[in-house]
Amino acid sequence: MSTVTTSLSDSPMPRRGAAADQAPLEPRLTRAWLLGIVGSLLLIASAFLPWTYDPALLGNVTIVGYPAPVQLMAIALGLLALFMTLVRKGPLARLGRHLGSPSGLKRLGIGSLVFMLLVLVGVATSDPALLAAADPGLWIGIVGALLVAAAGFLLPVRKVRSEPHQRFAGWVEILVIVALVALVLFGAAYGLGIEDAWVFVLFLTFVFAIGAGLAGGGFFAWLSIVAAHHSRVLLLATFLAAFAFPFTQGGSNANMSIATQVIIFAATAIGLNIVVGLAGLLDLGYIAFLGAGAYVAATMSESTFATIGWHPPFLVVVLIGACFSAVLGLIIGSPTLRVSGDYLAIVTLAFGEIFRLAMNNLDGAHGPNITRGPNGIPAIPDLEFFGFNFGDTHNLLGVDIPRFANYYFLLLLLLGLITLVFSRLNDSRIGRGWIAIREDEKAAEAMGVNVFGLKLLAFAGGAFLAGLAGTVKAHHDQSVTPDQYQFLESAFLLAAVVLGGMGTIGGVLLGAVVLKLLPEKLRFFSEYRLLMFGLLLVLMMRFRPEGLVANKRHQLEFHEDDEELADEIEHVHVEKVS
């Protein structure tokens, strides 16, 4: 094991007088340490006791000594809380110097408390008499989570700068990456298979609590360094896990339908990320480019209702649809990209509505019969490559691969291509020009950057990627209608970019998963789904405006006064360079 030092100023030696400052904090640290241990043990112990008397609730949490999946989540929260407590004092205290801020335990404690309170709400829905519905095990878990949160608040703030992140042997770091990717695969398969709405909400809360605790403890900062050193291993493990996902669904066509919709949404959002995340251009009509690619594929398909008599191979259709969308981007961008800010947003919003209305009017009565108006183009046949029909169920390695799983593999390849294009553009001279325009357009122009040309390229490039996704979406949905491409869809795409983290790939993928998966799994809340979505955005803008997965430099712009974050970014930057 080795650590990478940064500079003399980053030495773990305390500053002058630091020992005297830290001495009064020792009793407070001891109290927090004891509270954390007791709370963690209570949280773990509660999972082996019944939480309610009704076996129909939350997957049967009534059996003593046999934890249900929801109770296993409480055990995981307790074990992580116990570990994060022990590294603050005692034999494991050496690890605490490499785990960053003590806020990790506080965040984990708050998340655990929210988790247990949501369990209480879920149990109470069966019986208005709250005290009668919950068994002692649930109350013990709530007390334990409360003690963990209190321990997090009692932990003294570190007065000296944290040490550089610990590095381990290469095989250990690779093993951690593989295990983490496998854990994500298992979590995605389990979450998609949850049918109980309350259990799904608790699972999401559990994931966010674990993520918040690990982020506060510096795990993700360490992981970013390890990922930079083993980027090929991470990329290979991620794609292998993604390709293995259909084999975990037991031939479920419904779950794979949700997964394919998520990938289409994510691929389109990455294209929008070029326009919004890199170039800083607010586009509120981006869904029109996805629709343009879909309509090209539909009109050139072998559907009985197709209005164009030419049926070229699908690969040719893909290029035509992507280029057509790019041309639309050039047409709308040439006269409008000379304005910016609110004016650009209004113009792009109008373009999205113009596209939808034009598709409605190209019905043969108000214009040429190209799109069949509001009726759209249904009965689009499934794709077929070299005798392989995507609409049939195939058996691979003893597992049934249904229709949507076939499209899942195709869309995964498309997503990989779009991700590659985005990453290459981001790291290129063009990408740096886009970022310069986003940060300060006037300064970029003064430094010789071709502002208008790069903005136009961003618009056309993003439209091209959306057109690619649209051509596959037409065959996946088997129909194309104008009402699929409303303004609300553009708003959701923009929200995925902002929520996940502008300018990042992982952030946009995570944002797309959250915004596409939640409405599908939370149908239990019916009309309250949009309210929950709006609440989520408000909380994100308040507590994490940089997004779920943000670029560290971009994150610092939102937290200029956070000295600890500045130190962490400096450590990460120097260690990556080393």
Side-chain angles (χ1 to χ4, degrees), residues 251-448:
S252 172
N253 214 22
N255 288 346
M256 292 312 304
S257 172
I258 298 175
T260 52
Q261 293 175 32
V262 169
I263 294 184
I264 292 173
F265 191 77
T268 311
I270 290 178
L272 180 60
N273 200 18
I274 293 178
V275 182
V276 177
L278 295 185
L281 305 172
L282 185 56
D283 188 349
L284 296 180
Y286 188 76
I287 194 66
F289 302 124
L290 178 70
Y295 266 104
V296 167
T299 54
M300 293 184 178
S301 69
E302 295 184 0
S303 169
T304 308
F305 303 94
T307 54
I308 296 179
W310 183 39
H311 310 296
F314 180 69
L315 293 179
V316 176
V317 174
V318 167
L319 292 177
I320 294 176
C323 291
F324 180 71
S325 296
V327 170
L328 281 183
L330 292 175
I331 292 174
I332 189 61
S334 297
T336 60
L337 287 179
R338 301 185 188 277
V339 299
S340 59
D342 298 338
Y343 299 101
L344 179 61
I346 293 172
V347 171
T348 53
L349 172 61
F351 167 69
E353 288 302 296
I354 289 171
F355 174 81
R356 183 178 62 84
L357 294 174
M359 297 302 102
N360 263 315
N361 290 329
L362 295 178
D363 57 356
H366 304 88
N369 186 19
I370 299 178
T371 65
R372 299 185 71 249
N375 296 322
I377 302 177
I380 301 175
D382 287 303
L383 293 174
E384 186 170 352
F385 291 150
F386 305 106
F388 183 89
N389 192 302
F390 281 73
D392 297 336
T393 298
H394 302 85
N395 189 278
L396 185 60
L397 300 178
V399 178
D400 286 337
I401 305 297
R403 175 181 182 273
F404 287 114
N406 297 328
Y407 280 100
Y408 173 87
F409 289 123
L410 177 62
L411 287 165
L412 200 60
L413 293 175
L414 178 65
L415 181 63
L417 174 63
I418 292 177
T419 301
L420 178 63
V421 171
F422 179 87
S423 61
R424 293 297 185 185
L425 286 173
N426 190 16
D427 297 334
S428 68
R429 186 175 180 180
I430 294 174
R432 292 194 294 270
W434 282 334
I435 295 174
I437 294 171
R438 182 191 69 193
E439 298 300 327
D440 193 324
E441 184 175 328
K442 297 298 182 184
E445 188 174 9
M447 295 301 294

Side-chain angles (χ1 to χ4, degrees), residues 25 42 122 132 164 176 191 198 216 222 250-251 264 278 323 338 341 375 469 473 483 538 568:
L25 297 177
L42 286 178
V176 170
W198 269 113
W222 174 82
I264 292 173
L278 295 185
C323 291
R338 301 185 188 277
N375 296 322
K473 177 178 170 59
D483 57 2
V538 170
E568 180 183 318

Side-chain angles (χ1 to χ4, degrees), residues 4 6 25 28 36 110 124 140 161 175 201 259 265 323 335 352 413 419 497 543 554 576:
V4 183
T6 56
L25 297 177
R28 183 178 175 183
I110 295 174
I140 292 174
R161 301 175 70 178
L175 190 62
V201 170
F265 191 77
C323 291
L413 293 175
T419 301
V497 174
F543 296 104
H554 191 59
K576 281 184 178 180

Side-chain angles (χ1 to χ4, degrees), residues 372-560:
R372 299 185 71 249
N375 296 322
I377 302 177
I380 301 175
D382 287 303
L383 293 174
E384 186 170 352
F385 291 150
F386 305 106
F388 183 89
N389 192 302
F390 281 73
D392 297 336
T393 298
H394 302 85
N395 189 278
L396 185 60
L397 300 178
V399 178
D400 286 337
I401 305 297
R403 175 181 182 273
F404 287 114
N406 297 328
Y407 280 100
Y408 173 87
F409 289 123
L410 177 62
L411 287 165
L412 200 60
L413 293 175
L414 178 65
L415 181 63
L417 174 63
I418 292 177
T419 301
L420 178 63
V421 171
F422 179 87
S423 61
R424 293 297 185 185
L425 286 173
N426 190 16
D427 297 334
S428 68
R429 186 175 180 180
I430 294 174
R432 292 194 294 270
W434 282 334
I435 295 174
I437 294 171
R438 182 191 69 193
E439 298 300 327
D440 193 324
E441 184 175 328
K442 297 298 182 184
E445 188 174 9
M447 295 301 294
V449 175
N450 184 357
V451 173
F452 179 74
L454 285 180
K455 288 166 69 174
L456 196 60
L457 180 60
F459 232 68
F464 183 90
L465 297 181
L468 283 178
T471 55
V472 181
K473 177 178 170 59
H475 291 272
H476 170 272
D477 295 346
Q478 292 190 315
S479 67
V480 177
T481 55
D483 57 2
Q484 293 176 324
Y485 307 102
Q486 301 178 6
F487 163 72
L488 188 61
E489 297 298 323
S490 291
F492 268 84
L493 286 170
L494 181 62
V497 174
V498 176
L499 179 67
M502 293 192 298
T504 64
I505 296 175
V508 173
L509 293 176
L510 181 59
V513 170
V514 170
L515 293 184
K516 202 65 179 178
L517 184 61
L518 287 184
E520 293 292 336
K521 303 299 291 187
L522 298 181
R523 294 186 180 276
F524 171 79
F525 297 101
S526 61
E527 66 270 13
Y528 296 104
R529 287 183 296 166
L530 284 180
L531 175 63
M532 295 176 63
F533 167 66
L535 218 71
L536 176 64
L537 286 182
V538 170
L539 292 175
M540 283 295 302
M541 293 302 101
R542 170 60 184 86
F543 296 104
R544 196 172 177 83
E546 66 275 12
L548 292 173
V549 181
N551 178 276
K552 289 295 184 182
R553 296 290 181 181
H554 191 59
Q555 182 181 10
L556 191 58
E557 296 175 9
F558 291 94
H559 306 279
E560 295 179 353

